[in-house]
Amino acid sequence: MGSELTILGYGEDALTLWALKQQVSKILSEFQDKTSVSDCLIFYRPSFGRHSKIDSSVFGEFDAIIASKEKIYLIESKWDNLAAFKDAEFILREEQTLRHKVFSWYLTHWSKEYLGNWQSFISEHKSNFKIENKTIVPIDSLLSRNLEFILNKIHGCCESISESSIKNVFLFFYNSEKSKHPSKTNASFRVIPIDYSRELEGNFVTM
């Protein structure tokens, strides 16, 4: 048998993937989630339309989504090689926080009875969709099919879904030998700092 493949990555996306492979237990413990890592479902960079426009149904791309038996974690990630990070507070952009609000609405209104029948979902819930500058995802679209798939998978993993079980997470990757992590961000988010200094080879992280 050949030796194990080594993959080296650089930057924010690589660090996110590394964290999803090596640091999920840390994320769960931050919320006292007792789910085994092996029982979690992870989506890496799930996209709901790359450009979130006003009065459209697209709402952008998460860096990751983790579903456990107890909770759903909607994740934004950043790293310390950013001009935008200057002090102890890091505020996420409006379009980033908006996608959490939109996806949380879908999560709390979806049920398995709508599987394969997005039109029924629209008919029953369109009048309740009141998120400013957004429209509900239309039927017979790639976005509706992808959204339906992800919603159904998450509902199959998490035992109970409500607003209280949905957690907005801001992963911040930092090198403790050179930088610090922010302690504050948007009110509805929790900062989870992850030190990657011990994982570096050159400026790359081994995934």
Side-chain angles (χ1 to χ4, degrees), residues 32-97:
Q32 293 78 51
D33 190 330
K34 297 184 177 4
T35 305
S36 169
V37 172
S38 61
D39 289 329
C40 292
L41 173 68
I42 299 175
F43 291 94
Y44 174 60
R45 296 189 64 81
S47 178
F48 303 98
R50 292 298 298 273
H51 302 288
S52 183
K53 300 178 181 179
I54 293 176
D55 296 327
S56 73
S57 59
V58 302
F59 52 97
E61 182 177 88
F62 290 98
D63 287 299
I65 296 173
I66 300 173
S68 76
K69 297 292 185 183
E70 300 178 16
K71 299 177 176 69
I72 301 106
Y73 305 94
L74 308 181
I75 297 173
E76 302 290 328
S77 63
K78 297 293 179 186
W79 69 317
D80 53 356
N81 191 25
L82 285 171
F85 177 62
K86 297 179 180 179
D87 50 37
E89 185 174 49
F90 192 119
I91 300 299
L92 297 170
R93 301 188 307 274
E94 183 178 357
E95 63 265 26
Q96 292 175 300
T97 60

Side-chain angles (χ1 to χ4, degrees), residues 85-147:
F85 177 62
K86 297 179 180 179
D87 50 37
E89 185 174 49
F90 192 119
I91 300 299
L92 297 170
R93 301 188 307 274
E94 183 178 357
E95 63 265 26
Q96 292 175 300
T97 60
L98 179 60
R99 66 170 152 261
H100 288 249
K101 184 177 182 180
V102 173
F103 191 70
S104 294
W105 184 91
Y106 284 110
L107 275 173
T108 55
H109 288 79
W110 174 262
S111 70
K112 288 187 174 182
E113 68 186 56
Y114 299 119
L115 183 61
N117 192 354
W118 192 257
Q119 180 59 61
S120 177
F121 177 78
I122 292 175
S123 298
E124 293 187 29
H125 296 292
K126 187 175 182 179
S127 62
N128 296 324
F129 188 85
K130 298 177 181 179
I131 299 177
E132 187 177 0
N133 298 325
K134 286 289 140 190
T135 60
I136 200 165
V137 173
I139 192 172
D140 294 331
S141 63
L142 177 61
L143 179 53
S144 68
R145 291 189 291 272
N146 286 346
L147 181 55

Side-chain angles (χ1 to χ4, degrees), residues 13 32 165 167:
D13 291 347
Q32 293 78 51
S165 65
K167 305 301 179 182

